[in-house]
Amino acid sequence: MSHTTEASRTGSAVSISEIDFDRLETVERAVEIRCATGDWWTANWRGTPVSAVVDRVTVPPETTHLVFETADGYRACLDVHTALDGVLAGAIDGKPLDAAERPRLVCPGIEGIRSVKGVSAVVPVSLSRKDDPEELEALGIGEGDDAE
């Protein structure tokens, strides 16, 4: 389950399985992925803009960040402006992503580790300037709530 505290949530989690992506806008964007290893590459990612997904649900105006979660507990927290520039991609360079990788969050300017594969939910949260968004993240395998 989500590490996001009830105090920081501004709305209900958006379950990706409940979204009919066929009815939403599709775009293709060239986005660079930068890995922690120093490797980088640019690819053409095809999918639904995060903004189109957010427009279909109620996200309260006090929302400052969106947390992108996977079924196995991986989480990345992005400020709203960065997240809304992203794509929930289903294809790379014209080839479908593996089912386990769909949809993949890709956003210009984020580190590769935050390019979440297999997004299962998007959670709107409100953080103060004192709050550290990284405290809501679990960027490695086994970093879920029950893992130590």
Side-chain angles (χ1 to χ4, degrees), residues 34-51:
R34 292 174 288 156
C35 291
T37 63
D39 293 338
W40 62 272
W41 72 95
T42 299
N44 290 313
W45 299 89
R46 185 165 182 75
T48 302
V50 172
S51 59

PDB file of all heavy atoms in Angstrom, residues 34-51:
ATOM      1  N   ARG A  34      17.983   9.622 -18.282  1.00  0.00           N
ATOM      2  CA  ARG A  34      19.329   9.685 -17.723  1.00  0.00           C
ATOM      3  C   ARG A  34      19.432   8.729 -16.542  1.00  0.00           C
ATOM      4  O   ARG A  34      18.785   8.945 -15.524  1.00  0.00           O
ATOM      5  CB  ARG A  34      19.651  11.099 -17.268  1.00  0.00           C
ATOM      6  CG  ARG A  34      19.771  12.069 -18.427  1.00  0.00           C
ATOM      7  CD  ARG A  34      19.935  13.469 -17.944  1.00  0.00           C
ATOM      8  NE  ARG A  34      18.647  13.898 -17.389  1.00  0.00           N
ATOM      9  CZ  ARG A  34      18.497  14.838 -16.492  1.00  0.00           C
ATOM     10  NH1 ARG A  34      19.521  15.469 -16.012  1.00  0.00           N
ATOM     11  NH2 ARG A  34      17.297  15.166 -16.039  1.00  0.00           N
ATOM     12  N   CYS A  35      20.223   7.696 -16.691  1.00  0.00           N
ATOM     13  CA  CYS A  35      20.386   6.703 -15.625  1.00  0.00           C
ATOM     14  C   CYS A  35      21.416   7.173 -14.599  1.00  0.00           C
ATOM     15  O   CYS A  35      22.298   7.972 -14.904  1.00  0.00           O
ATOM     16  CB  CYS A  35      20.840   5.367 -16.206  1.00  0.00           C
ATOM     17  SG  CYS A  35      19.572   4.568 -17.172  1.00  0.00           S
ATOM     18  N   ALA A  36      21.315   6.609 -13.406  1.00  0.00           N
ATOM     19  CA  ALA A  36      22.271   6.915 -12.337  1.00  0.00           C
ATOM     20  C   ALA A  36      23.678   6.473 -12.720  1.00  0.00           C
ATOM     21  O   ALA A  36      24.659   7.008 -12.203  1.00  0.00           O
ATOM     22  CB  ALA A  36      21.832   6.251 -11.037  1.00  0.00           C
ATOM     23  N   THR A  37      23.787   5.523 -13.646  1.00  0.00           N
ATOM     24  CA  THR A  37      25.098   5.030 -14.091  1.00  0.00           C
ATOM     25  C   THR A  37      25.816   6.039 -14.975  1.00  0.00           C
ATOM     26  O   THR A  37      26.982   5.870 -15.280  1.00  0.00           O
ATOM     27  CB  THR A  37      24.937   3.728 -14.890  1.00  0.00           C
ATOM     28  OG1 THR A  37      24.164   4.012 -16.068  1.00  0.00           O
ATOM     29  CG2 THR A  37      24.290   2.641 -14.069  1.00  0.00           C
ATOM     30  N   GLY A  38      25.095   7.083 -15.402  1.00  0.00           N
ATOM     31  CA  GLY A  38      25.680   8.063 -16.295  1.00  0.00           C
ATOM     32  C   GLY A  38      25.275   7.858 -17.748  1.00  0.00           C
ATOM     33  O   GLY A  38      25.495   8.716 -18.582  1.00  0.00           O
ATOM     34  N   ASP A  39      24.697   6.681 -18.031  1.00  0.00           N
ATOM     35  CA  ASP A  39      24.201   6.434 -19.387  1.00  0.00           C
ATOM     36  C   ASP A  39      22.978   7.293 -19.646  1.00  0.00           C
ATOM     37  O   ASP A  39      22.227   7.612 -18.725  1.00  0.00           O
ATOM     38  CB  ASP A  39      23.813   4.958 -19.571  1.00  0.00           C
ATOM     39  CG  ASP A  39      25.013   4.029 -19.506  1.00  0.00           C
ATOM     40  OD1 ASP A  39      26.136   4.491 -19.732  1.00  0.00           O
ATOM     41  OD2 ASP A  39      24.802   2.840 -19.211  1.00  0.00           O
ATOM     42  N   TRP A  40      22.775   7.658 -20.895  1.00  0.00           N
ATOM     43  CA  TRP A  40      21.569   8.388 -21.268  1.00  0.00           C
ATOM     44  C   TRP A  40      21.224   8.060 -22.701  1.00  0.00           C
ATOM     45  O   TRP A  40      22.071   7.656 -23.486  1.00  0.00           O
ATOM     46  CB  TRP A  40      21.735   9.884 -21.064  1.00  0.00           C
ATOM     47  CG  TRP A  40      22.822  10.497 -21.910  1.00  0.00           C
ATOM     48  CD1 TRP A  40      24.143  10.615 -21.593  1.00  0.00           C
ATOM     49  CD2 TRP A  40      22.670  11.051 -23.218  1.00  0.00           C
ATOM     50  NE1 TRP A  40      24.829  11.201 -22.624  1.00  0.00           N
ATOM     51  CE2 TRP A  40      23.940  11.481 -23.644  1.00  0.00           C
ATOM     52  CE3 TRP A  40      21.595  11.225 -24.079  1.00  0.00           C
ATOM     53  CZ2 TRP A  40      24.160  12.076 -24.865  1.00  0.00           C
ATOM     54  CZ3 TRP A  40      21.813  11.807 -25.309  1.00  0.00           C
ATOM     55  CH2 TRP A  40      23.083  12.235 -25.681  1.00  0.00           C
ATOM     56  N   TRP A  41      19.951   8.204 -23.005  1.00  0.00           N
ATOM     57  CA  TRP A  41      19.483   8.007 -24.365  1.00  0.00           C
ATOM     58  C   TRP A  41      18.185   8.765 -24.558  1.00  0.00           C
ATOM     59  O   TRP A  41      17.466   9.039 -23.607  1.00  0.00           O
ATOM     60  CB  TRP A  41      19.318   6.527 -24.702  1.00  0.00           C
ATOM     61  CG  TRP A  41      18.158   5.874 -24.034  1.00  0.00           C
ATOM     62  CD1 TRP A  41      16.904   5.698 -24.539  1.00  0.00           C
ATOM     63  CD2 TRP A  41      18.110   5.309 -22.722  1.00  0.00           C
ATOM     64  NE1 TRP A  41      16.094   5.070 -23.635  1.00  0.00           N
ATOM     65  CE2 TRP A  41      16.815   4.820 -22.500  1.00  0.00           C
ATOM     66  CE3 TRP A  41      19.032   5.179 -21.687  1.00  0.00           C
ATOM     67  CZ2 TRP A  41      16.428   4.220 -21.314  1.00  0.00           C
ATOM     68  CZ3 TRP A  41      18.645   4.583 -20.520  1.00  0.00           C
ATOM     69  CH2 TRP A  41      17.361   4.111 -20.351  1.00  0.00           C
ATOM     70  N   THR A  42      17.917   9.115 -25.798  1.00  0.00           N
ATOM     71  CA  THR A  42      16.662   9.775 -26.132  1.00  0.00           C
ATOM     72  C   THR A  42      15.847   8.812 -26.975  1.00  0.00           C
ATOM     73  O   THR A  42      16.372   8.168 -27.883  1.00  0.00           O
ATOM     74  CB  THR A  42      16.915  11.077 -26.915  1.00  0.00           C
ATOM     75  OG1 THR A  42      17.688  11.952 -26.086  1.00  0.00           O
ATOM     76  CG2 THR A  42      15.604  11.760 -27.279  1.00  0.00           C
ATOM     77  N   ALA A  43      14.565   8.711 -26.651  1.00  0.00           N
ATOM     78  CA  ALA A  43      13.665   7.824 -27.388  1.00  0.00           C
ATOM     79  C   ALA A  43      12.362   8.563 -27.640  1.00  0.00           C
ATOM     80  O   ALA A  43      12.039   9.543 -26.969  1.00  0.00           O
ATOM     81  CB  ALA A  43      13.401   6.546 -26.593  1.00  0.00           C
ATOM     82  N   ASN A  44      11.622   8.068 -28.616  1.00  0.00           N
ATOM     83  CA  ASN A  44      10.281   8.586 -28.882  1.00  0.00           C
ATOM     84  C   ASN A  44       9.293   7.723 -28.115  1.00  0.00           C
ATOM     85  O   ASN A  44       9.150   6.539 -28.399  1.00  0.00           O
ATOM     86  CB  ASN A  44       9.979   8.564 -30.379  1.00  0.00           C
ATOM     87  CG  ASN A  44      10.795   9.594 -31.114  1.00  0.00           C
ATOM     88  OD1 ASN A  44      10.871  10.739 -30.699  1.00  0.00           O
ATOM     89  ND2 ASN A  44      11.430   9.192 -32.187  1.00  0.00           N
ATOM     90  N   TRP A  45       8.637   8.328 -27.143  1.00  0.00           N
ATOM     91  CA  TRP A  45       7.690   7.637 -26.274  1.00  0.00           C
ATOM     92  C   TRP A  45       6.283   7.976 -26.722  1.00  0.00           C
ATOM     93  O   TRP A  45       5.951   9.141 -26.912  1.00  0.00           O
ATOM     94  CB  TRP A  45       7.894   8.082 -24.829  1.00  0.00           C
ATOM     95  CG  TRP A  45       9.259   7.772 -24.311  1.00  0.00           C
ATOM     96  CD1 TRP A  45      10.362   8.574 -24.389  1.00  0.00           C
ATOM     97  CD2 TRP A  45       9.677   6.582 -23.665  1.00  0.00           C
ATOM     98  NE1 TRP A  45      11.426   7.943 -23.814  1.00  0.00           N
ATOM     99  CE2 TRP A  45      11.041   6.716 -23.361  1.00  0.00           C
ATOM    100  CE3 TRP A  45       9.028   5.404 -23.302  1.00  0.00           C
ATOM    101  CZ2 TRP A  45      11.769   5.732 -22.704  1.00  0.00           C
ATOM    102  CZ3 TRP A  45       9.746   4.428 -22.651  1.00  0.00           C
ATOM    103  CH2 TRP A  45      11.100   4.593 -22.360  1.00  0.00           C
ATOM    104  N   ARG A  46       5.443   6.968 -26.892  1.00  0.00           N
ATOM    105  CA  ARG A  46       4.055   7.168 -27.310  1.00  0.00           C
ATOM    106  C   ARG A  46       3.134   6.737 -26.171  1.00  0.00           C
ATOM    107  O   ARG A  46       3.292   5.656 -25.609  1.00  0.00           O
ATOM    108  CB  ARG A  46       3.755   6.360 -28.558  1.00  0.00           C
ATOM    109  CG  ARG A  46       2.371   6.614 -29.113  1.00  0.00           C
ATOM    110  CD  ARG A  46       2.263   6.061 -30.543  1.00  0.00           C
ATOM    111  NE  ARG A  46       0.979   6.326 -31.107  1.00  0.00           N
ATOM    112  CZ  ARG A  46       0.554   7.498 -31.556  1.00  0.00           C
ATOM    113  NH1 ARG A  46       1.331   8.547 -31.476  1.00  0.00           N
ATOM    114  NH2 ARG A  46      -0.644   7.649 -32.070  1.00  0.00           N
ATOM    115  N   GLY A  47       2.187   7.621 -25.835  1.00  0.00           N
ATOM    116  CA  GLY A  47       1.247   7.291 -24.775  1.00  0.00           C
ATOM    117  C   GLY A  47       0.312   8.439 -24.484  1.00  0.00           C
ATOM    118  O   GLY A  47       0.153   9.355 -25.285  1.00  0.00           O
ATOM    119  N   THR A  48      -0.276   8.389 -23.323  1.00  0.00           N
ATOM    120  CA  THR A  48      -1.260   9.377 -22.887  1.00  0.00           C
ATOM    121  C   THR A  48      -0.586  10.413 -21.996  1.00  0.00           C
ATOM    122  O   THR A  48       0.109  10.040 -21.043  1.00  0.00           O
ATOM    123  CB  THR A  48      -2.391   8.676 -22.110  1.00  0.00           C
ATOM    124  OG1 THR A  48      -2.979   7.704 -22.957  1.00  0.00           O
ATOM    125  CG2 THR A  48      -3.435   9.665 -21.653  1.00  0.00           C
ATOM    126  N   PRO A  49      -0.788  11.692 -22.286  1.00  0.00           N
ATOM    127  CA  PRO A  49      -0.232  12.709 -21.393  1.00  0.00           C
ATOM    128  C   PRO A  49      -0.791  12.560 -19.976  1.00  0.00           C
ATOM    129  O   PRO A  49      -1.981  12.270 -19.799  1.00  0.00           O
ATOM    130  CB  PRO A  49      -0.705  14.030 -22.009  1.00  0.00           C
ATOM    131  CG  PRO A  49      -1.069  13.704 -23.414  1.00  0.00           C
ATOM    132  CD  PRO A  49      -1.528  12.270 -23.402  1.00  0.00           C
ATOM    133  N   VAL A  50       0.068  12.735 -18.990  1.00  0.00           N
ATOM    134  CA  VAL A  50      -0.389  12.699 -17.597  1.00  0.00           C
ATOM    135  C   VAL A  50      -1.498  13.719 -17.403  1.00  0.00           C
ATOM    136  O   VAL A  50      -2.485  13.464 -16.702  1.00  0.00           O
ATOM    137  CB  VAL A  50       0.784  12.948 -16.619  1.00  0.00           C
ATOM    138  CG1 VAL A  50       0.290  13.118 -15.193  1.00  0.00           C
ATOM    139  CG2 VAL A  50       1.806  11.817 -16.719  1.00  0.00           C
ATOM    140  N   SER A  51      -1.395  14.857 -18.058  1.00  0.00           N
ATOM    141  CA  SER A  51      -2.415  15.899 -17.927  1.00  0.00           C
ATOM    142  C   SER A  51      -3.789  15.403 -18.377  1.00  0.00           C
ATOM    143  O   SER A  51      -4.804  15.764 -17.774  1.00  0.00           O
ATOM    144  CB  SER A  51      -2.025  17.149 -18.711  1.00  0.00           C
ATOM    145  OG  SER A  51      -1.861  16.839 -20.090  1.00  0.00           O
TER     146      SER A  51
END
